């Protein structure tokens, strides 16, 4: 036990928070739609969220995300989307289209280069509705939990 406590004291604060979230936050009834065109990023995000007990739906484009939404709209609590997406819609436009269908949908935007996407009128708040790439599994888990717990 002393060894575990000593090791826990050396863990980065972010990892300690993630472990605490995992212990106190049952996610079994929460569903997330991950819209990301980069397969490695999409698999990493989806994998970490599944390990935490979330139900995860994946889409490689905004068009595919719309199809997934049509099939599972009533169970999805959060859209996690890249800002720059292939096809006719970017992440902001995807969120706007889905929010027209269900106003209580929450979003977490992610990007490695947010300045390259036309996002007029959209406010990105790191730690609130935006996470910058690259990020760790603990960071995405914390960001998702915060968005789901937010009162807005």
């Amino acid at each position: 036990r002393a060894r575990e406590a000593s090791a826990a004291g050396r863990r980065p604060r972010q990892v300690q928070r993630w472990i605490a979230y995992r212990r106190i936050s049952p996610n079994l009834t929460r569903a997330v739609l991950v819209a990301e065109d980069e397969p490695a990023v999409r698999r990493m995000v989806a994998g970490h969220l599944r390990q935490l007990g979330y139900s995860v739906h994946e889409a490689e484009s905004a068009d595919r995300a719309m199809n997934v939404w049509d099939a599972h709209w009533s169970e999805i609590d959060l859209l996690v989307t890249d800002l720059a997406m292939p096809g006719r819609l970017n992440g902001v436009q995807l969120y706007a289209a889905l929010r027209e269908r269900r106003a209580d949908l929450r979003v977490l935007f992610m990007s490695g280069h947010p300045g390259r996407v036309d996002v007029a009128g959209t406010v990105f708040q790191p730690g609130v509705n935006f996470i910058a790439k690259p990020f760790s599994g603990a960071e995405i888990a914390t960001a998702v939990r915060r968005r789901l717990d937010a009162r807005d």
Side-chain angles (χ1 to χ4, degrees):
R1 287 246 183 247
R3 212 175 193 183
E4 283 179 24
S6 174
R10 290 191 307 257
R11 288 184 183 138
R13 187 169 269 154
Q14 249 178 347
V15 173
Q16 291 176 7
R17 282 191 213 125
W18 178 73
I19 291 168
Y21 271 127
R22 189 169 182 178
R23 284 186 188 140
I24 64 170
S25 183
N27 304 314
L28 298 176
T29 61
R30 302 301 216 149
V32 178
L33 171 55
V34 178
E36 166 62 60
D37 60 310
E38 181 59 41
V41 175
R42 187 175 63 249
R43 282 193 302 268
M44 186 276 281
V45 170
H48 280 288
L49 296 178
R50 283 188 182 106
Q51 286 179 345
L52 292 169
Y54 293 97
S55 172
V56 180
H57 303 279
E58 298 179 50
E60 67 280 354
S61 69
D63 291 332
R64 176 73 182 122
M66 297 286 278
N67 292 336
V68 171
W69 177 263
D70 288 341
H72 302 282
W73 68 270
S74 65
E75 66 193 65
I76 296 172
D77 300 296
L78 177 69
L79 170 66
V80 177
T81 183
D82 192 6
L83 287 176
M85 300 277 285
R88 60 187 174 87
L89 301 176
N90 64 35
V92 173
Q93 294 164 328
L94 169 63
Y95 174 58
L98 296 181
R99 192 132 192 224
E100 283 181 12
R101 298 176 184 193
R102 205 178 90 211
D104 68 332
L105 178 66
R106 294 170 191 254
V107 67
L108 176 64
F109 295 108
M110 54 185 174
S111 181
H113 41 77
R116 293 188 190 168
V117 180
D118 178 19
V119 291
T122 302
V123 176
F124 299 106
Q125 298 172 294
V128 178
N129 70 347
F130 177 80
I131 186 168
K133 295 178 192 174
F135 47 75
S136 69
E139 290 169 326
I140 191 68
T142 299
V144 164
R145 182 80 258 152
R146 283 185 180 147
R147 285 307 296 145
L148 288 170
D149 288 346
R151 298 186 191 269
D152 61 338

